[in-house]
Amino acid sequence: MPIDVKIPALGESISSGVLSAWKVSEGTYVEIDQPIYELETDKITQEGLAEVAGVISFLAKEGDEVEIGATIANIDESADNPNSSASVPKPQAQEPVVEVPATTTVAPPESMDAPSPSLPSQDESDPKVDDSIPAPLPLSPAVRKILAETDIDPTTISGTGKDGRITKADVLAAKSAEPSPSVAAPSTPVSPPKAAPVTPASVDSRSTRRPLSPIRRKIASRLVEAQQTAAILSTFNEVDLSAIMALRKKHQDSFVKQNGVKLGFMSFFVKGVVHALRAVPQINARMEGNELVENHYFDIGVAVGTKKGLVVPVLRDCDQLGFAEIEQSIVQYAEKARTGGITLQDMQGGCFTITNGGIYGSLLSTPIINPPQSGILGMHSIQERPVAVNGEVVIRPMMYTALSYDHRVVDGKEAVTFLVKLKEAMEDPARLALGI
C-alpha cells in the first residue's frame, strides 16, 4: 500500500510553505532517509526525507504552496522489485512475465486499432513487443495510469528520468505538445507583416515577473512591522581597528593551527557587544505591552546573507564563549544557511543583532532592528583614512559603526555610551579580557 509523503509541522507559527524543489525524479526509487524535496517557508528552507523505501509518485509540483500536513507524494513500498529490474537491465527479459498486466494496459495504443489480428500475428509482432518492453517496464503506476487515460504511445516518448525512464512530466509534456500543431497551423497563414504577437513578446522580454518567496515575504512584513511599531533612531561612531589587526596578524597562524578556523573581526565585535551591553543594560531589553523586560543573558544574533534572503542565527551565551567558539559557531551557521540546513531553533530568541554590510562594500547604513529586540549594530567596510592622533595626521584602518535602537526603550545618552564602550574595547582589546 502506498505511503503518503506529508509536510511535517515545522513550528507553531508556520502554517504553509512553497515546494521549491523535488530532489528526486518522478517514478524513481528512493531510499529511507533520502532527501526527496525542499520546502521553503517564511522562516527557513527545510529538506524532507523519505520515511520508507520505494517508488515515488508526485501529487504536487514545484512552486506549489502546500499546507502543513498536506500529502505531496506517495511512495509505493511494493514497487521495489520493478525498480530493481530497471536499475539492472539484464533481468528485464524475465520481468515482462510478471508485469504482463502492466504491459497489456500500456500496449492498447497498438492493439486498439485491430484487437483480433494482434493475436494470430503474435509471431510477427514479437520483435515489436521486444522493442517496446524496455519503455513500459520502468513505468510507475502513476505514469501507466496517465498513459492509459491519454492513449499516448509510450514508444513515442523519450524519457528524461533515471536510465531513460518515462516520468509523469514527460507524459504531460507529450500530451500538451499534441495540440501545438493545430495551433501552429493557423499561425502560419498569418505570417505576413501583421505579426503583432512580436510586440507583446518584446515588451515581456524587458522584465520578469515572479511571486515573492515565503522568506522574502516574511522579511518584507517584518521590516514594515519594525518601522511601524518601534521608534527607530540611529547613532554613529568610528573605530580604529589597528590594534585588532595587529593582534590577528601576530596570532593568526597559531589560532588557526589550534582551532581550525581563522580569527576574524566578528568574534571581536561579538565580545565587544557583550562588553557594551553589560555597561548599558538598558539596550539589552525589550518592550512587552506596558512592561519592560530586561535580559540578563547575552544571546547575540549574527545576520547571514543567503541567495534566498537574510537569516539571523543566534549565538547562545556569548559571555561564556571564547573567541574560537564564536568563530566556529559562525562558520557552522554560515554553512548551514548556505545549504538550507538552518532550523527554527537556530534563529529563535536573541537579545541583540549584529549585521555586517562591510563584506559587501557598505561604507555606512542605518540597519533596522529585529523585533522585539531594542538594538542592532551595523558594521561596515574598513578603509584606510587620515586621522589625527596626538596632534599628528596618520593613516589608520577605520570603520564606521551604526547603532539603530528603539527610542521608546533606549535614550540617546545610552545609545551613544554603548558605541563609546564598543569603540574603547575595539581599540584596546585588552579591555575585553580585563572587563574594564
Side-chain angles (χ1 to χ4, degrees), residues 209-237:
R209 185 184 299 271
R210 62 179 182 272
L212 288 175
S213 67
I215 289 181
R216 179 52 59 185
R217 289 203 304 265
K218 188 63 175 180
I219 291 174
S221 65
R222 292 276 288 177
L223 293 177
V224 172
E225 175 191 355
Q227 295 279 42
Q228 293 177 343
T229 60
I232 302 177
L233 186 62
S234 298
T235 187
F236 309 94
N237 210 323

Side-chain angles (χ1 to χ4, degrees), residues 15-330:
S15 59
S16 66
V18 171
L19 185 63
S20 57
W22 283 108
K23 292 186 170 292
V24 295
S25 300
E26 167 81 12
T28 56
Y29 185 82
V30 297
E31 301 288 350
I32 296 178
D33 292 334
Q34 177 182 350
I36 55 177
Y37 68 87
E38 189 176 86
L39 184 74
E40 185 177 333
T41 73
D42 59 4
K43 297 182 184 299
I44 59 172
T45 298
Q46 183 79 29
E47 280 188 347
L49 307 180
E51 297 181 357
V52 296
V55 174
I56 189 168
S57 300
F58 298 160
L59 300 179
K61 62 181 182 298
E62 291 184 357
D64 285 352
E65 184 164 1
V66 291
E67 301 290 330
I68 297 300
T71 301
I72 59 172
N74 291 324
I75 298 180
D76 188 357
E77 292 182 285
S78 63
D80 51 351
N81 286 336
N83 180 76
S84 62
S85 69
S87 59
V88 183
K90 293 183 179 179
Q92 284 183 355
Q94 301 175 0
E95 289 299 328
V97 179
V98 182
E99 293 291 335
V100 167
T103 54
T104 52
T105 56
V106 178
E110 294 181 6
S111 59
M112 283 176 64
D113 295 337
S116 55
S118 62
L119 295 176
S121 60
Q122 185 172 0
D123 293 338
E124 298 176 2
S125 63
D126 281 344
K128 297 180 180 179
V129 173
D130 291 339
D131 291 339
S132 62
I133 282 176
L137 279 177
L139 298 181
S140 67
V143 173
R144 289 199 295 265
K145 181 180 178 182
I146 294 183
L147 285 172
E149 292 175 351
T150 57
D151 290 339
I152 296 178
D153 186 352
T155 60
T156 63
I157 304 175
S158 57
T160 61
K162 185 178 180 182
D163 299 325
R165 294 168 63 96
I166 298 176
T167 66
K168 185 177 178 181
D170 295 332
V171 181
L172 294 176
K175 181 181 177 183
S176 61
E178 286 185 346
S180 60
S182 60
V183 176
S187 65
T188 44
V190 193
S191 54
K194 295 183 180 180
V198 176
T199 305
S202 63
V203 173
D204 291 341
S205 65
R206 292 168 63 89
S207 61
T208 301
R209 185 184 299 271
R210 62 179 182 272
L212 288 175
S213 67
I215 289 181
R216 179 52 59 185
R217 289 203 304 265
K218 188 63 175 180
I219 291 174
S221 65
R222 292 276 288 177
L223 293 177
V224 172
E225 175 191 355
Q227 295 279 42
Q228 293 177 343
T229 60
I232 302 177
L233 186 62
S234 298
T235 187
F236 309 94
N237 210 323
E238 61 178 356
V239 176
D240 181 352
L241 295 176
S242 300
I244 290 179
M245 294 180 76
L247 268 177
R248 292 177 70 242
K249 183 177 181 180
K250 181 178 180 180
H251 300 291
Q252 186 71 272
D253 292 341
S254 299
F255 189 89
V256 172
K257 185 177 180 180
Q258 181 170 337
N259 302 295
V261 292
K262 288 185 176 181
L263 178 60
F265 290 98
M266 185 58 77
S267 54
F268 284 95
F269 275 88
V270 169
K271 299 298 285 187
V273 163
V274 172
H275 176 80
L277 288 176
R278 278 178 166 157
V280 190
Q282 295 87 343
I283 298 179
N284 194 9
R286 67 183 186 276
M287 285 193 68
E288 287 188 1
N290 294 324
E291 294 182 335
L292 189 64
V293 180
E294 186 174 314
N295 303 313
H296 303 294
Y297 58 92
F298 303 91
D299 291 355
I300 309 300
V302 178
V304 177
T306 69
K307 293 181 179 179
K308 296 181 178 179
L310 196 71
V311 294
V312 187
V314 177
L315 306 177
R316 313 289 176 182
D317 299 318
C318 291
D319 56 322
Q320 302 174 25
L321 299 180
F323 283 80
E325 292 172 308
I326 293 174
E327 294 291 352
Q328 290 166 351
S329 298
I330 292 173

Side-chain angles (χ1 to χ4, degrees), residues 379-402:
M379 298 169 55
H380 301 91
S381 59
I382 302 171
Q383 291 188 332
E384 288 190 344
R385 294 199 295 271
V387 294
V389 178
N390 298 325
E392 297 181 357
V393 176
V394 296
I395 304 298
R396 293 292 175 86
M398 305 298 293
M399 174 193 287
Y400 289 120
T401 57

